[in-house]
Amino acid sequence: MANLKEIRNRISSVSSTMQITSAMKMVSAAKLKKAQDAITAMRPYADKLTELLQGLSASLDSDSGSVYADNREVKKVLVVAITSNRGLAGAFNSNILKQCTVLINEKYAGKQVDFVAIGKKANDFLTKRSKVIANHSSLYDDLTFDNVSAIAEDLMEQFTLGNYDRIDIVYNKFKNAATQIVMTEQFLPIVPIEGADNLSSDYVFEPSKIEIVEHLIPKSLKTQLYKGIRDSFASEHGARMTAMHKATDNATELRDQLKLSYNQARQAAITNEILEIVGGAEALNN
């Protein structure tokens, strides 16, 4: 059994770790509330806008359709991998990186697969396994729609120039603080939806469908990317809060076990001292 000093040192170390994890949990909980409110507020708007414009684009003739709906033979793929800049968030980052590996080795096997990394964890992992054409880890320092729009515009340009035939987004969709769902969404070309003709017939378009497509689809794509990053941002804080809560509970349990071991060792030491004293007294008496 470890001596008393070693156990006291371990108790002190575990207690310090518990204070750190508890503080990180509270910080993530505070940030989660703001991030959750942001994604909850914009998700209905983003989903409806995407649905409407997908249907509108699909209802146009092929000659007049949007360049963003151009379906080509997929030879070159660009994947936008959205992770965080920091760890200590459970499986939040590893789930995204596993999905990226699946895309490389299975879904797009034999095709050229490049990446845009949003988050330091994605950049560090993917640069060793594939080509990362852009790293936007600093985006989280100032996460605004304008900054995300600049990234979306670059993605749209890569597609329209023919540099890539398909662009996907991989991110964690926020469900609740304990649950994040790994999503792989097709960013470009625009995915047509069933019943597009019926959808467009429910609306009166002014000035025309084509002009609406030309102006609103780029805005819709920017909103789609912004929603994905916002989803991931909220998921990160939820995952970190949950991970730190579990870490705090584990540290508390370990501390209690160490205290029990300390008390047992102290009791054994006192008993041995008493036995030595009694033994010495008996030897003197004899």
Side-chain angles (χ1 to χ4, degrees), residues 74 76-82 96-97 99-104 107-108 112-118 122 126 130-134 136 151 155 158 164-171 183-188 225:
V74 178
K76 296 179 290 184
V77 181
L78 182 62
V79 178
V80 182
I82 304 174
I96 296 297
L97 302 179
Q99 181 62 19
C100 291
T101 303
V102 169
L103 294 179
I104 295 173
K107 185 175 181 180
Y108 297 126
Q112 177 184 333
V113 182
D114 296 339
F115 288 89
V116 169
I118 298 179
L126 295 170
S130 188
K131 180 181 178 182
V132 177
I133 66 170
H136 299 288
I151 300 174
L155 295 175
Q158 293 282 355
Y164 295 96
D165 305 310
R166 176 171 172 142
I167 300 178
D168 287 348
I169 305 174
V170 181
Y171 67 97
M183 301 291 294
T184 302
E185 286 185 359
Q186 181 173 324
F187 185 70
L188 287 168
L225 180 61

mmCIF file of all heavy atoms in Angstrom, residues 74 76-82 96-97 99-104 107-108 112-118 122 126 130-134 136 151 155 158 164-171 183-188 225:
data_model
loop_
_atom_site.group_PDB
_atom_site.id
_atom_site.type_symbol
_atom_site.label_atom_id
_atom_site.label_comp_id
_atom_site.label_asym_id
_atom_site.label_seq_id
_atom_site.Cartn_x
_atom_site.Cartn_y
_atom_site.Cartn_z
ATOM 1 N N VAL A 74 -18.670 12.987 -61.056
ATOM 2 C CA VAL A 74 -17.870 13.312 -59.879
ATOM 3 C C VAL A 74 -16.492 12.664 -59.996
ATOM 4 O O VAL A 74 -16.342 11.449 -59.918
ATOM 5 C CB VAL A 74 -18.570 12.843 -58.590
ATOM 6 C CG1 VAL A 74 -17.691 13.141 -57.382
ATOM 7 C CG2 VAL A 74 -19.925 13.529 -58.451
ATOM 8 N N LYS A 76 -13.607 14.979 -58.861
ATOM 9 C CA LYS A 76 -12.886 15.742 -57.849
ATOM 10 C C LYS A 76 -13.877 16.268 -56.816
ATOM 11 O O LYS A 76 -14.859 16.915 -57.163
ATOM 12 C CB LYS A 76 -12.123 16.894 -58.503
ATOM 13 C CG LYS A 76 -11.024 16.449 -59.471
ATOM 14 C CD LYS A 76 -10.314 17.627 -60.109
ATOM 15 C CE LYS A 76 -11.229 18.359 -61.084
ATOM 16 N NZ LYS A 76 -10.524 19.462 -61.789
ATOM 17 N N VAL A 77 -13.598 15.967 -55.551
ATOM 18 C CA VAL A 77 -14.511 16.302 -54.458
ATOM 19 C C VAL A 77 -13.794 17.206 -53.455
ATOM 20 O O VAL A 77 -12.625 16.987 -53.132
ATOM 21 C CB VAL A 77 -15.010 15.028 -53.742
ATOM 22 C CG1 VAL A 77 -15.980 15.391 -52.625
ATOM 23 C CG2 VAL A 77 -15.656 14.072 -54.734
ATOM 24 N N LEU A 78 -14.519 18.200 -52.989
ATOM 25 C CA LEU A 78 -14.012 19.078 -51.933
ATOM 26 C C LEU A 78 -14.904 18.910 -50.704
ATOM 27 O O LEU A 78 -16.127 19.019 -50.808
ATOM 28 C CB LEU A 78 -14.016 20.536 -52.388
ATOM 29 C CG LEU A 78 -13.455 21.563 -51.393
ATOM 30 C CD1 LEU A 78 -11.990 21.287 -51.087
ATOM 31 C CD2 LEU A 78 -13.629 22.987 -51.936
ATOM 32 N N VAL A 79 -14.292 18.616 -49.569
ATOM 33 C CA VAL A 79 -15.043 18.396 -48.329
ATOM 34 C C VAL A 79 -14.675 19.487 -47.335
ATOM 35 O O VAL A 79 -13.488 19.724 -47.062
ATOM 36 C CB VAL A 79 -14.731 17.009 -47.723
ATOM 37 C CG1 VAL A 79 -15.488 16.822 -46.408
ATOM 38 C CG2 VAL A 79 -15.098 15.902 -48.707
ATOM 39 N N VAL A 80 -15.688 20.154 -46.801
ATOM 40 C CA VAL A 80 -15.488 21.162 -45.756
ATOM 41 C C VAL A 80 -15.659 20.467 -44.412
ATOM 42 O O VAL A 80 -16.768 20.066 -44.040
ATOM 43 C CB VAL A 80 -16.494 22.320 -45.889
ATOM 44 C CG1 VAL A 80 -16.225 23.374 -44.818
ATOM 45 C CG2 VAL A 80 -16.428 22.936 -47.279
ATOM 46 N N ALA A 81 -14.563 20.274 -43.696
ATOM 47 C CA ALA A 81 -14.586 19.586 -42.405
ATOM 48 C C ALA A 81 -14.616 20.618 -41.284
ATOM 49 O O ALA A 81 -13.699 21.431 -41.153
ATOM 50 C CB ALA A 81 -13.363 18.682 -42.261
ATOM 51 N N ILE A 82 -15.676 20.582 -40.476
ATOM 52 C CA ILE A 82 -15.869 21.577 -39.420
ATOM 53 C C ILE A 82 -15.629 20.922 -38.063
ATOM 54 O O ILE A 82 -16.399 20.052 -37.632
ATOM 55 C CB ILE A 82 -17.285 22.185 -39.481
ATOM 56 C CG1 ILE A 82 -17.549 22.779 -40.871
ATOM 57 C CG2 ILE A 82 -17.448 23.258 -38.410
ATOM 58 C CD1 ILE A 82 -18.962 23.279 -41.064
ATOM 59 N N ILE A 96 -16.048 13.595 -36.428
ATOM 60 C CA ILE A 96 -15.921 14.280 -37.720
ATOM 61 C C ILE A 96 -14.742 13.721 -38.503
ATOM 62 O O ILE A 96 -14.835 13.467 -39.716
ATOM 63 C CB ILE A 96 -15.741 15.803 -37.505
ATOM 64 C CG1 ILE A 96 -16.992 16.399 -36.847
ATOM 65 C CG2 ILE A 96 -15.464 16.511 -38.842
ATOM 66 C CD1 ILE A 96 -18.248 16.286 -37.675
ATOM 67 N N LEU A 97 -13.630 13.509 -37.840
ATOM 68 C CA LEU A 97 -12.433 13.010 -38.517
ATOM 69 C C LEU A 97 -12.639 11.572 -39.007
ATOM 70 O O LEU A 97 -12.142 11.205 -40.078
ATOM 71 C CB LEU A 97 -11.232 13.100 -37.571
ATOM 72 C CG LEU A 97 -10.946 14.515 -37.043
ATOM 73 C CD1 LEU A 97 -9.758 14.508 -36.086
ATOM 74 C CD2 LEU A 97 -10.707 15.482 -38.189
ATOM 75 N N GLN A 99 -15.540 10.411 -39.988
ATOM 76 C CA GLN A 99 -16.405 10.541 -41.160
ATOM 77 C C GLN A 99 -15.604 10.987 -42.375
ATOM 78 O O GLN A 99 -15.842 10.523 -43.494
ATOM 79 C CB GLN A 99 -17.539 11.525 -40.868
ATOM 80 C CG GLN A 99 -18.527 11.731 -42.002
ATOM 81 C CD GLN A 99 -19.263 10.466 -42.392
ATOM 82 O OE1 GLN A 99 -19.317 9.496 -41.627
ATOM 83 N NE2 GLN A 99 -19.816 10.449 -43.597
ATOM 84 N N CYS A 100 -14.645 11.874 -42.173
ATOM 85 C CA CYS A 100 -13.779 12.297 -43.284
ATOM 86 C C CYS A 100 -12.979 11.118 -43.825
ATOM 87 O O CYS A 100 -12.794 10.980 -45.043
ATOM 88 C CB CYS A 100 -12.834 13.409 -42.821
ATOM 89 S SG CYS A 100 -13.649 14.988 -42.474
ATOM 90 N N THR A 101 -12.508 10.263 -42.939
ATOM 91 C CA THR A 101 -11.775 9.070 -43.359
ATOM 92 C C THR A 101 -12.663 8.137 -44.159
ATOM 93 O O THR A 101 -12.234 7.534 -45.158
ATOM 94 C CB THR A 101 -11.210 8.339 -42.128
ATOM 95 O OG1 THR A 101 -10.383 9.239 -41.378
ATOM 96 C CG2 THR A 101 -10.374 7.140 -42.540
ATOM 97 N N VAL A 102 -13.920 8.006 -43.747
ATOM 98 C CA VAL A 102 -14.881 7.174 -44.486
ATOM 99 C C VAL A 102 -15.102 7.734 -45.889
ATOM 100 O O VAL A 102 -15.167 6.973 -46.865
ATOM 101 C CB VAL A 102 -16.215 7.085 -43.720
ATOM 102 C CG1 VAL A 102 -17.308 6.459 -44.592
ATOM 103 C CG2 VAL A 102 -16.047 6.276 -42.446
ATOM 104 N N LEU A 103 -15.201 9.046 -46.005
ATOM 105 C CA LEU A 103 -15.389 9.658 -47.315
ATOM 106 C C LEU A 103 -14.198 9.380 -48.226
ATOM 107 O O LEU A 103 -14.367 9.088 -49.419
ATOM 108 C CB LEU A 103 -15.597 11.167 -47.169
ATOM 109 C CG LEU A 103 -16.875 11.615 -46.448
ATOM 110 C CD1 LEU A 103 -16.924 13.135 -46.350
ATOM 111 C CD2 LEU A 103 -18.114 11.101 -47.154
ATOM 112 N N ILE A 104 -12.994 9.449 -47.682
ATOM 113 C CA ILE A 104 -11.790 9.225 -48.477
ATOM 114 C C ILE A 104 -11.696 7.770 -48.927
ATOM 115 O O ILE A 104 -11.448 7.474 -50.104
ATOM 116 C CB ILE A 104 -10.528 9.610 -47.673
ATOM 117 C CG1 ILE A 104 -10.510 11.114 -47.385
ATOM 118 C CG2 ILE A 104 -9.264 9.215 -48.444
ATOM 119 C CD1 ILE A 104 -9.387 11.535 -46.452
ATOM 120 N N LYS A 107 -16.714 6.184 -49.599
ATOM 121 C CA LYS A 107 -17.687 6.855 -50.471
ATOM 122 C C LYS A 107 -17.045 7.407 -51.738
ATOM 123 O O LYS A 107 -17.602 7.282 -52.837
ATOM 124 C CB LYS A 107 -18.382 7.980 -49.699
ATOM 125 C CG LYS A 107 -19.496 8.656 -50.505
ATOM 126 C CD LYS A 107 -20.235 9.679 -49.668
ATOM 127 C CE LYS A 107 -21.354 10.327 -50.481
ATOM 128 N NZ LYS A 107 -22.104 11.331 -49.677
ATOM 129 N N TYR A 108 -15.876 8.028 -51.601
ATOM 130 C CA TYR A 108 -15.205 8.631 -52.753
ATOM 131 C C TYR A 108 -13.880 7.921 -53.063
ATOM 132 O O TYR A 108 -12.921 8.552 -53.508
ATOM 133 C CB TYR A 108 -14.958 10.116 -52.507
ATOM 134 C CG TYR A 108 -16.229 10.917 -52.334
ATOM 135 C CD1 TYR A 108 -16.422 11.728 -51.214
ATOM 136 C CD2 TYR A 108 -17.250 10.856 -53.275
ATOM 137 C CE1 TYR A 108 -17.590 12.453 -51.054
ATOM 138 C CE2 TYR A 108 -18.414 11.577 -53.114
ATOM 139 C CZ TYR A 108 -18.585 12.376 -52.000
ATOM 140 O OH TYR A 108 -19.746 13.091 -51.850
ATOM 141 N N GLN A 112 -10.360 12.066 -56.423
ATOM 142 C CA GLN A 112 -9.558 13.082 -55.756
ATOM 143 C C GLN A 112 -10.411 13.757 -54.689
ATOM 144 O O GLN A 112 -11.460 14.331 -54.981
ATOM 145 C CB GLN A 112 -9.061 14.123 -56.756
ATOM 146 C CG GLN A 112 -8.278 15.270 -56.116
ATOM 147 C CD GLN A 112 -7.890 16.339 -57.113
ATOM 148 O OE1 GLN A 112 -7.730 16.066 -58.302
ATOM 149 N NE2 GLN A 112 -7.759 17.581 -56.646
ATOM 150 N N VAL A 113 -9.965 13.687 -53.439
ATOM 151 C CA VAL A 113 -10.712 14.275 -52.329
ATOM 152 C C VAL A 113 -9.806 15.271 -51.615
ATOM 153 O O VAL A 113 -8.797 14.898 -51.019
ATOM 154 C CB VAL A 113 -11.203 13.203 -51.336
ATOM 155 C CG1 VAL A 113 -12.018 13.858 -50.224
ATOM 156 C CG2 VAL A 113 -12.022 12.139 -52.045
ATOM 157 N N ASP A 114 -10.154 16.544 -51.696
ATOM 158 C CA ASP A 114 -9.432 17.600 -51.000
ATOM 159 C C ASP A 114 -10.312 18.170 -49.890
ATOM 160 O O ASP A 114 -11.520 17.911 -49.850
ATOM 161 C CB ASP A 114 -9.023 18.705 -51.970
ATOM 162 C CG ASP A 114 -8.038 18.204 -53.032
ATOM 163 O OD1 ASP A 114 -7.389 17.169 -52.790
ATOM 164 O OD2 ASP A 114 -7.947 18.854 -54.096
ATOM 165 N N PHE A 115 -9.698 18.963 -49.023
ATOM 166 C CA PHE A 115 -10.427 19.450 -47.851
ATOM 167 C C PHE A 115 -10.236 20.948 -47.644
ATOM 168 O O PHE A 115 -9.204 21.521 -48.001
ATOM 169 C CB PHE A 115 -9.964 18.718 -46.585
ATOM 170 C CG PHE A 115 -10.422 17.288 -46.513
ATOM 171 C CD1 PHE A 115 -9.647 16.276 -47.063
ATOM 172 C CD2 PHE A 115 -11.615 16.956 -45.907
ATOM 173 C CE1 PHE A 115 -10.058 14.955 -47.011
ATOM 174 C CE2 PHE A 115 -12.040 15.635 -45.846
ATOM 175 C CZ PHE A 115 -11.253 14.639 -46.397
ATOM 176 N N VAL A 116 -11.265 21.547 -47.051
ATOM 177 C CA VAL A 116 -11.181 22.870 -46.445
ATOM 178 C C VAL A 116 -11.388 22.650 -44.955
ATOM 179 O O VAL A 116 -12.419 22.093 -44.544
ATOM 180 C CB VAL A 116 -12.238 23.833 -47.012
ATOM 181 C CG1 VAL A 116 -12.294 25.103 -46.167
ATOM 182 C CG2 VAL A 116 -11.946 24.169 -48.455
ATOM 183 N N ALA A 117 -10.414 23.030 -44.154
ATOM 184 C CA ALA A 117 -10.476 22.795 -42.711
ATOM 185 C C ALA A 117 -10.980 24.034 -41.989
ATOM 186 O O ALA A 117 -10.437 25.122 -42.153
ATOM 187 C CB ALA A 117 -9.103 22.398 -42.177
ATOM 188 N N ILE A 118 -12.046 23.853 -41.226
ATOM 189 C CA ILE A 118 -12.534 24.908 -40.336
ATOM 190 C C ILE A 118 -12.377 24.365 -38.922
ATOM 191 O O ILE A 118 -13.175 23.560 -38.455
ATOM 192 C CB ILE A 118 -13.995 25.276 -40.636
ATOM 193 C CG1 ILE A 118 -14.114 25.818 -42.059
ATOM 194 C CG2 ILE A 118 -14.512 26.305 -39.632
ATOM 195 C CD1 ILE A 118 -15.530 26.188 -42.462
ATOM 196 N N ALA A 122 -9.229 19.691 -37.333
ATOM 197 C CA ALA A 122 -9.388 19.151 -38.687
ATOM 198 C C ALA A 122 -8.123 19.373 -39.502
ATOM 199 O O ALA A 122 -7.659 18.474 -40.215
ATOM 200 C CB ALA A 122 -10.584 19.801 -39.371
ATOM 201 N N LEU A 126 -6.013 16.258 -41.064
ATOM 202 C CA LEU A 126 -6.172 16.024 -42.494
ATOM 203 C C LEU A 126 -4.929 16.349 -43.305
ATOM 204 O O LEU A 126 -4.716 15.772 -44.372
ATOM 205 C CB LEU A 126 -7.368 16.834 -43.016
ATOM 206 C CG LEU A 126 -8.733 16.406 -42.454
ATOM 207 C CD1 LEU A 126 -9.809 17.402 -42.835
ATOM 208 C CD2 LEU A 126 -9.105 15.011 -42.948
ATOM 209 N N SER A 130 -4.339 13.942 -46.434
ATOM 210 C CA SER A 130 -4.887 14.397 -47.712
ATOM 211 C C SER A 130 -4.406 15.827 -47.958
ATOM 212 O O SER A 130 -3.555 16.348 -47.242
ATOM 213 C CB SER A 130 -6.419 14.330 -47.687
ATOM 214 O OG SER A 130 -6.960 14.595 -48.947
ATOM 215 N N LYS A 131 -4.990 16.462 -48.984
ATOM 216 C CA LYS A 131 -4.622 17.833 -49.319
ATOM 217 C C LYS A 131 -5.637 18.795 -48.728
ATOM 218 O O LYS A 131 -6.837 18.679 -48.972
ATOM 219 C CB LYS A 131 -4.576 18.008 -50.841
ATOM 220 C CG LYS A 131 -4.195 19.419 -51.282
ATOM 221 C CD LYS A 131 -4.190 19.531 -52.800
ATOM 222 C CE LYS A 131 -3.854 20.950 -53.251
ATOM 223 N NZ LYS A 131 -3.886 21.072 -54.732
ATOM 224 N N VAL A 132 -5.152 19.742 -47.942
ATOM 225 C CA VAL A 132 -5.999 20.785 -47.367
ATOM 226 C C VAL A 132 -5.711 22.078 -48.117
ATOM 227 O O VAL A 132 -4.626 22.638 -48.011
ATOM 228 C CB VAL A 132 -5.730 20.958 -45.863
ATOM 229 C CG1 VAL A 132 -6.570 22.096 -45.297
ATOM 230 C CG2 VAL A 132 -6.019 19.661 -45.113
ATOM 231 N N ILE A 133 -6.691 22.544 -48.906
ATOM 232 C CA ILE A 133 -6.459 23.716 -49.754
ATOM 233 C C ILE A 133 -6.646 25.016 -48.996
ATOM 234 O O ILE A 133 -6.207 26.076 -49.456
ATOM 235 C CB ILE A 133 -7.367 23.691 -50.998
ATOM 236 C CG1 ILE A 133 -8.836 23.847 -50.598
ATOM 237 C CG2 ILE A 133 -7.165 22.399 -51.788
ATOM 238 C CD1 ILE A 133 -9.764 24.079 -51.790
ATOM 239 N N ALA A 134 -7.317 24.960 -47.839
ATOM 240 C CA ALA A 134 -7.526 26.187 -47.049
ATOM 241 C C ALA A 134 -7.766 25.812 -45.599
ATOM 242 O O ALA A 134 -8.406 24.802 -45.298
ATOM 243 C CB ALA A 134 -8.701 27.001 -47.590
ATOM 244 N N HIS A 136 -9.209 27.568 -42.083
ATOM 245 C CA HIS A 136 -9.909 28.731 -41.515
ATOM 246 C C HIS A 136 -10.078 28.570 -40.007
ATOM 247 O O HIS A 136 -11.161 28.827 -39.463
ATOM 248 C CB HIS A 136 -11.270 28.911 -42.192
ATOM 249 C CG HIS A 136 -11.194 29.152 -43.669
ATOM 250 N ND1 HIS A 136 -10.758 30.332 -44.211
ATOM 251 C CD2 HIS A 136 -11.486 28.346 -44.719
ATOM 252 C CE1 HIS A 136 -10.793 30.270 -45.526
ATOM 253 N NE2 HIS A 136 -11.230 29.068 -45.861
ATOM 254 N N ILE A 151 -15.936 32.626 -47.082
ATOM 255 C CA ILE A 151 -15.560 31.227 -47.309
ATOM 256 C C ILE A 151 -16.522 30.583 -48.304
ATOM 257 O O ILE A 151 -16.104 29.856 -49.219
ATOM 258 C CB ILE A 151 -15.569 30.451 -45.980
ATOM 259 C CG1 ILE A 151 -14.569 31.068 -45.002
ATOM 260 C CG2 ILE A 151 -15.243 28.980 -46.207
ATOM 261 C CD1 ILE A 151 -14.619 30.463 -43.607
ATOM 262 N N LEU A 155 -15.919 28.774 -52.040
ATOM 263 C CA LEU A 155 -16.397 27.436 -52.390
ATOM 264 C C LEU A 155 -17.214 27.468 -53.682
ATOM 265 O O LEU A 155 -17.055 26.602 -54.555
ATOM 266 C CB LEU A 155 -17.240 26.867 -51.249
ATOM 267 C CG LEU A 155 -16.528 26.607 -49.920
ATOM 268 C CD1 LEU A 155 -17.525 26.150 -48.869
ATOM 269 C CD2 LEU A 155 -15.425 25.573 -50.088
ATOM 270 N N GLN A 158 -14.892 27.835 -56.616
ATOM 271 C CA GLN A 158 -14.209 26.579 -56.913
ATOM 272 C C GLN A 158 -15.109 25.651 -57.738
ATOM 273 O O GLN A 158 -14.648 24.975 -58.669
ATOM 274 C CB GLN A 158 -13.817 25.864 -55.608
ATOM 275 C CG GLN A 158 -12.763 26.581 -54.786
ATOM 276 C CD GLN A 158 -11.359 26.401 -55.332
ATOM 277 O OE1 GLN A 158 -11.135 25.661 -56.289
ATOM 278 N NE2 GLN A 158 -10.398 27.090 -54.743
ATOM 279 N N TYR A 164 -13.830 21.570 -58.844
ATOM 280 C CA TYR A 164 -14.410 20.429 -58.128
ATOM 281 C C TYR A 164 -15.802 20.161 -58.676
ATOM 282 O O TYR A 164 -16.538 21.092 -59.036
ATOM 283 C CB TYR A 164 -14.458 20.693 -56.620
ATOM 284 C CG TYR A 164 -13.074 20.823 -56.011
ATOM 285 C CD1 TYR A 164 -12.505 22.089 -55.813
ATOM 286 C CD2 TYR A 164 -12.332 19.704 -55.669
ATOM 287 C CE1 TYR A 164 -11.233 22.220 -55.289
ATOM 288 C CE2 TYR A 164 -11.053 19.837 -55.136
ATOM 289 C CZ TYR A 164 -10.516 21.082 -54.951
ATOM 290 O OH TYR A 164 -9.257 21.206 -54.437
ATOM 291 N N ASP A 165 -16.164 18.882 -58.707
ATOM 292 C CA ASP A 165 -17.467 18.481 -59.236
ATOM 293 C C ASP A 165 -18.516 18.359 -58.146
ATOM 294 O O ASP A 165 -19.707 18.303 -58.435
ATOM 295 C CB ASP A 165 -17.339 17.131 -59.959
ATOM 296 C CG ASP A 165 -16.268 17.173 -61.047
ATOM 297 O OD1 ASP A 165 -16.307 18.114 -61.861
ATOM 298 O OD2 ASP A 165 -15.396 16.277 -61.066
ATOM 299 N N ARG A 166 -18.073 18.277 -56.904
ATOM 300 C CA ARG A 166 -19.005 18.170 -55.788
ATOM 301 C C ARG A 166 -18.332 18.730 -54.539
ATOM 302 O O ARG A 166 -17.132 18.549 -54.329
ATOM 303 C CB ARG A 166 -19.422 16.713 -55.563
ATOM 304 C CG ARG A 166 -20.326 16.512 -54.343
ATOM 305 C CD ARG A 166 -20.888 15.121 -54.298
ATOM 306 N NE ARG A 166 -21.586 14.875 -53.043
ATOM 307 C CZ ARG A 166 -22.695 14.170 -52.928
ATOM 308 N NH1 ARG A 166 -23.247 13.648 -54.014
ATOM 309 N NH2 ARG A 166 -23.270 13.965 -51.770
ATOM 310 N N ILE A 167 -19.130 19.392 -53.718
ATOM 311 C CA ILE A 167 -18.640 19.936 -52.450
ATOM 312 C C ILE A 167 -19.576 19.484 -51.337
ATOM 313 O O ILE A 167 -20.798 19.668 -51.432
ATOM 314 C CB ILE A 167 -18.557 21.472 -52.481
ATOM 315 C CG1 ILE A 167 -17.605 21.937 -53.590
ATOM 316 C CG2 ILE A 167 -18.099 22.017 -51.129
ATOM 317 C CD1 ILE A 167 -17.504 23.448 -53.724
ATOM 318 N N ASP A 168 -19.014 18.877 -50.306
ATOM 319 C CA ASP A 168 -19.782 18.409 -49.150
ATOM 320 C C ASP A 168 -19.351 19.158 -47.900
ATOM 321 O O ASP A 168 -18.214 19.657 -47.807
ATOM 322 C CB ASP A 168 -19.583 16.905 -48.926
ATOM 323 C CG ASP A 168 -20.303 16.055 -49.968
ATOM 324 O OD1 ASP A 168 -21.135 16.615 -50.707
ATOM 325 O OD2 ASP A 168 -20.033 14.838 -50.045
ATOM 326 N N ILE A 169 -20.264 19.192 -46.932
ATOM 327 C CA ILE A 169 -19.961 19.772 -45.614
ATOM 328 C C ILE A 169 -20.134 18.672 -44.569
ATOM 329 O O ILE A 169 -21.161 17.992 -44.548
ATOM 330 C CB ILE A 169 -20.893 20.945 -45.280
ATOM 331 C CG1 ILE A 169 -20.858 22.006 -46.388
ATOM 332 C CG2 ILE A 169 -20.518 21.569 -43.950
ATOM 333 C CD1 ILE A 169 -21.873 23.122 -46.179
ATOM 334 N N VAL A 170 -19.141 18.502 -43.718
ATOM 335 C CA VAL A 170 -19.216 17.524 -42.629
ATOM 336 C C VAL A 170 -19.155 18.287 -41.310
ATOM 337 O O VAL A 170 -18.195 19.017 -41.053
ATOM 338 C CB VAL A 170 -18.062 16.504 -42.708
ATOM 339 C CG1 VAL A 170 -18.181 15.481 -41.576
ATOM 340 C CG2 VAL A 170 -18.066 15.791 -44.057
ATOM 341 N N TYR A 171 -20.186 18.119 -40.484
ATOM 342 C CA TYR A 171 -20.235 18.864 -39.227
ATOM 343 C C TYR A 171 -21.102 18.126 -38.213
ATOM 344 O O TYR A 171 -21.789 17.155 -38.535
ATOM 345 C CB TYR A 171 -20.795 20.272 -39.453
ATOM 346 C CG TYR A 171 -22.254 20.309 -39.864
ATOM 347 C CD1 TYR A 171 -23.266 20.520 -38.928
ATOM 348 C CD2 TYR A 171 -22.636 20.133 -41.195
ATOM 349 C CE1 TYR A 171 -24.605 20.553 -39.297
ATOM 350 C CE2 TYR A 171 -23.958 20.173 -41.577
ATOM 351 C CZ TYR A 171 -24.941 20.378 -40.623
ATOM 352 O OH TYR A 171 -26.273 20.401 -41.000
ATOM 353 N N MET A 183 -23.259 15.044 -39.522
ATOM 354 C CA MET A 183 -23.985 15.277 -40.767
ATOM 355 C C MET A 183 -23.005 15.420 -41.924
ATOM 356 O O MET A 183 -21.949 16.032 -41.789
ATOM 357 C CB MET A 183 -24.827 16.552 -40.666
ATOM 358 C CG MET A 183 -25.849 16.547 -39.547
ATOM 359 S SD MET A 183 -27.200 15.386 -39.842
ATOM 360 C CE MET A 183 -27.977 16.159 -41.267
ATOM 361 N N THR A 184 -23.375 14.836 -43.071
ATOM 362 C CA THR A 184 -22.647 15.052 -44.319
ATOM 363 C C THR A 184 -23.651 15.607 -45.323
ATOM 364 O O THR A 184 -24.505 14.879 -45.825
ATOM 365 C CB THR A 184 -22.026 13.755 -44.860
ATOM 366 O OG1 THR A 184 -21.149 13.209 -43.866
ATOM 367 C CG2 THR A 184 -21.224 14.022 -46.126
ATOM 368 N N GLU A 185 -23.580 16.906 -45.575
ATOM 369 C CA GLU A 185 -24.538 17.576 -46.458
ATOM 370 C C GLU A 185 -23.885 17.931 -47.786
ATOM 371 O O GLU A 185 -22.727 18.362 -47.819
ATOM 372 C CB GLU A 185 -25.069 18.857 -45.803
ATOM 373 C CG GLU A 185 -26.049 18.630 -44.677
ATOM 374 C CD GLU A 185 -26.621 19.944 -44.159
ATOM 375 O OE1 GLU A 185 -26.231 21.014 -44.678
ATOM 376 O OE2 GLU A 185 -27.455 19.893 -43.236
ATOM 377 N N GLN A 186 -24.641 17.756 -48.847
ATOM 378 C CA GLN A 186 -24.157 18.181 -50.162
ATOM 379 C C GLN A 186 -24.361 19.686 -50.284
ATOM 380 O O GLN A 186 -25.474 20.181 -50.208
ATOM 381 C CB GLN A 186 -24.902 17.434 -51.267
ATOM 382 C CG GLN A 186 -24.440 17.795 -52.670
ATOM 383 C CD GLN A 186 -25.070 16.923 -53.734
ATOM 384 O OE1 GLN A 186 -25.291 15.739 -53.527
ATOM 385 N NE2 GLN A 186 -25.381 17.510 -54.884
ATOM 386 N N PHE A 187 -23.271 20.388 -50.453
ATOM 387 C CA PHE A 187 -23.312 21.841 -50.579
ATOM 388 C C PHE A 187 -23.537 22.246 -52.037
ATOM 389 O O PHE A 187 -24.403 23.065 -52.354
ATOM 390 C CB PHE A 187 -21.999 22.419 -50.046
ATOM 391 C CG PHE A 187 -21.947 23.922 -50.009
ATOM 392 C CD1 PHE A 187 -22.715 24.639 -49.112
ATOM 393 C CD2 PHE A 187 -21.107 24.615 -50.872
ATOM 394 C CE1 PHE A 187 -22.655 26.020 -49.075
ATOM 395 C CE2 PHE A 187 -21.041 25.996 -50.842
ATOM 396 C CZ PHE A 187 -21.819 26.701 -49.944
ATOM 397 N N LEU A 188 -22.742 21.685 -52.937
ATOM 398 C CA LEU A 188 -22.863 21.914 -54.369
ATOM 399 C C LEU A 188 -22.578 20.610 -55.110
ATOM 400 O O LEU A 188 -21.729 19.829 -54.678
ATOM 401 C CB LEU A 188 -21.881 22.995 -54.832
ATOM 402 C CG LEU A 188 -22.218 24.436 -54.435
ATOM 403 C CD1 LEU A 188 -21.030 25.353 -54.701
ATOM 404 C CD2 LEU A 188 -23.452 24.927 -55.173
ATOM 405 N N LEU A 225 -23.972 27.235 -45.100
ATOM 406 C CA LEU A 225 -22.663 27.044 -44.484
ATOM 407 C C LEU A 225 -22.622 27.672 -43.092
ATOM 408 O O LEU A 225 -22.074 27.081 -42.147
ATOM 409 C CB LEU A 225 -21.579 27.663 -45.373
ATOM 410 C CG LEU A 225 -20.140 27.537 -44.852
ATOM 411 C CD1 LEU A 225 -19.743 26.074 -44.706
ATOM 412 C CD2 LEU A 225 -19.167 28.260 -45.785
#
